[in-house]
Amino acid sequence: MTETQTKTSSPEIRAAAGAMDGLREDLFRHVFAYRPLPPLSPEGRFIRRLPDGLKRAVVWTPHALVLGAALIVLVAGMANWHFRFLMGFVPAIAVAMTLIRPVAAFWGSMLAAIFCAILGSEGLWGPSAFIAQVVVMVVVAARTRPRTAVWMWTLTLLFGLLLEGGNPSNTASLATLSAFALLVVALVHIRRAAEQEVRDAEREITVQRTVTAVERDRRTLLEERTTIARELHDVVAHHMSVVAIQAEAAPYRVENPPPELEQAFVTIRENAVAALTELRRVLGVVRAEDYEAPDAPQPTLAVLDGLLDNVRETGLETEKVITGAVRELPQGVELSAYRIIQEALSNTLRHAPGATARVEIAYVLGGIGLRIVNGPPRGLVKPSPGAGHGITGMRERVAMLNGAMTAAAAEDGGYEVAVFLPVPPAESEPDERDDRGDRGDRGAVAETLVIERDGGA
């Protein structure tokens, strides 16, 4: 019957067609398929509590039970007076086949019953054939599904009624005993399926709870980040805006202000505006649920002169020294190097007013070396106290790039920060051969910038 005919027929015909398809699928297709019986799981409810040596033997219990049943069938056949060995051996083979080819074992047990009925004098279901048929049906049903058990029981009943004729007493006994045995197997199957569904449902609930907890944590984190961003904006941005406005209006409050004073206020306003721009960029990252690269270009060492000019206008005398062949580095390295130099100079302004600073940058084959050193504070301005967050931030940037850093007081009372940021060979551009000799000696000197010094912080 085609699929179109099945759809247009009555429900009874469709049910019958589905039943025949199930029969063909369970007992006729892939009859000789090789399906070895796997051992029990060593992580089972009871087996996992046993010692390791005993556990390795217990996992083969189903195989031992099947072979033990085959031995019982063999012994039952040997009790026959005619053809003892064959009467026991042939049905026992069918029982043993359930370990590797269960469907073929069922049909083999049917043929073994005919074979024993021909050789023996006890009818269709002699002792060995009777036991073998029950064992085979139970094992095959346990290895397949309840529907297969129904088909095997039905075919066995029809087979016995057809061959035993008018006195199907042995078939009735076989059908009754096998019905109870197969019912127990079916109940075990149903219970296992229900337990598996419960486990799947619990696993799904656990997954949903985990997803819910992750989403809740993300939402909480986003709310906390939004709160931090709002507080930063309300406090820092407000004060920086006031500084910028007052710096712009201050020259107009003094009659004929000197150029130096006007330039100082211009510098203050530019720094305040730049700080506001950086603050807005950071607040955008903090408020965002997923980090996105800012639209504005990040600072690199190419604009370092602007930073140095800025700090010089505040009164910090700064000197820059570059060794090695200048080349473009990865964006993360460039940004970290710029920020480290910026933070080191900011620390010098706060903690060593009136001092001088020296910025050394060494381009080497393996990366870039930085050394920022300042002298002791000079003048009447007192150093500003600090909490050490600047040094911590520099160390975090260096650690993120797998670099090395030392920060310690110098012998003359100043302070020195030495950093080496590595650049993988695949990311660094190859240098010209002619430049290597020129940089050979200076590269060795530059790498000494990150050597641990005695007493380093």
Side-chain angles (χ1 to χ4, degrees):
M1 182 178 294
T2 63
E3 183 178 356
T4 304
Q5 293 174 339
T6 302
K7 291 181 179 180
T8 57
S9 58
S10 63
E12 294 79 6
I13 297 179
R14 289 200 298 268
M20 295 306 297
D21 289 339
L23 174 62
R24 287 194 297 268
E25 179 67 26
D26 293 339
L27 295 178
F28 287 95
R29 293 178 183 173
H30 311 294
V31 174
F32 297 99
Y34 179 70
R35 295 172 54 193
L37 178 64
L40 298 176
S41 173
E43 301 300 327
R45 183 181 305 175
F46 302 104
I47 300 179
R48 62 186 177 186
R49 302 177 182 176
L50 301 176
D52 292 338
L54 185 59
K55 186 186 300 183
R56 286 191 292 269
V58 171
V59 295
W60 299 101
T61 301
H63 302 73
L65 292 177
V66 172
L67 294 179
L71 180 61
I72 293 175
V73 172
L74 179 62
V75 173
M78 296 288 288
N80 197 294
W81 290 101
H82 303 284
F83 304 99
R84 298 185 173 187
F85 180 74
L86 293 177
M87 293 290 289
F89 180 74
V90 174
I93 288 296
V95 174
M97 282 181 62
T98 58
L99 295 177
I100 53 176
R101 304 183 191 276
V103 178
F106 170 72
W107 295 111
S109 67
M110 306 274 275
L111 295 177
I114 298 175
F115 179 82
C116 293
I118 294 174
L119 293 183
S121 58
E122 298 177 350
L124 178 63
W125 302 113
S128 59
F130 188 98
I131 299 173
Q133 186 69 16
V134 174
V135 172
V136 167
M137 286 195 293
V138 170
V139 175
V140 174
R143 295 199 57 192
T144 53
R145 49 188 170 181
R147 188 180 71 180
T148 307
V150 175
W151 284 121
M152 288 191 300
W153 185 86
T154 304
L155 290 177
T156 301
L157 179 62
L158 295 177
F159 175 76
L161 293 176
L162 180 63
L163 294 185
E164 278 198 321
N167 186 23
S169 58
N170 291 338
T171 299
S173 301
L174 175 64
T176 303
L177 179 61
S178 61
F180 283 105
L182 294 178
L183 179 61
V184 173
V185 173
L187 291 177
V188 172
H189 264 295
I190 295 173
R191 180 181 178 182
R192 288 180 178 177
E195 291 177 350
Q196 183 63 36
E197 290 180 358
V198 171
R199 286 194 295 268
D200 293 340
E202 291 177 350
R203 189 180 301 110
E204 183 67 23
I205 292 174
T206 302
V207 172
Q208 292 298 329
R209 287 178 177 175
T210 303
V211 172
T212 303
V214 170
E215 291 297 330
R216 184 169 57 250
D217 293 341
R218 291 180 60 186
R219 185 168 58 253
T220 302
L221 177 61
L222 182 59
E223 292 175 355
E224 293 177 352
R225 291 170 60 180
T226 303
T227 302
I228 294 173
R230 183 171 58 250
E231 293 297 327
L232 284 174
H233 180 271
D234 293 344
V235 177
V236 181
H238 169 72
H239 290 292
M240 293 303 297
S241 298
V242 172
V243 170
I245 294 173
Q246 289 180 348
E248 185 176 8
Y252 300 100
R253 297 177 181 272
V254 180
E255 186 176 357
N256 298 324
E260 295 81 2
L261 182 61
E262 291 183 352
Q263 183 60 37
F265 283 121
V266 170
T267 302
I268 293 173
R269 183 181 181 280
E270 290 177 351
N271 287 333
V273 172
L276 279 172
T277 303
E278 292 291 335
L279 179 61
R280 292 191 183 98
R281 181 182 304 165
V282 173
L283 292 180
V285 174
V286 172
R287 288 180 182 273
E289 183 176 0
D290 297 324
Y291 176 78
E292 295 182 358
D295 296 333
Q298 295 284 8
T300 62
L301 294 178
V303 296
L304 182 61
D305 290 337
L307 173 64
L308 298 181
D309 293 338
N310 196 350
V311 297
R312 289 192 188 104
E313 292 177 357
T314 63
L316 177 62
E317 293 295 332
T318 306
E319 178 186 4
K320 181 181 72 171
V321 177
I322 298 179
T323 58
V326 178
R327 66 185 186 279
E328 184 178 355
L329 300 176
Q331 182 179 3
V333 177
E334 290 267 357
L335 176 61
S336 297
Y338 181 90
R339 294 301 188 194
I340 290 171
I341 296 174
Q342 182 184 40
E343 183 60 34
L345 295 177
S346 298
N347 289 341
T348 301
L349 288 172
R350 287 193 297 268
H351 305 304
T356 59
R358 177 183 175 90
V359 178
E360 298 179 3
I361 304 174
Y363 290 88
V364 295
L365 290 177
I368 184 172
L370 306 175
R371 182 171 178 265
I372 304 96
V373 59
N374 61 268
R378 290 187 176 87
L380 300 178
V381 181
K382 295 182 179 180
S384 301
H389 297 303
I391 295 295
T392 302
M394 287 190 284
R395 292 190 186 279
E396 290 174 351
R397 288 184 180 274
V398 173
M400 182 177 59
L401 296 174
N402 297 322
M405 171 180 166
T406 61
E411 296 178 356
D412 59 353
Y415 204 80
E416 178 180 347
V417 176
V419 174
F420 179 74
L421 301 178
V423 177
E427 298 183 8
S428 61
E429 297 181 359
D431 300 311
E432 294 296 329
R433 186 176 184 88
D434 295 340
D435 293 336
R436 292 181 181 175
D438 185 51
R439 294 198 313 270
D441 298 335
R442 290 183 292 183
V445 174
E447 291 180 357
T448 60
L449 297 177
V450 295
I451 298 178
E452 294 284 348
R453 292 174 171 79
D454 295 335

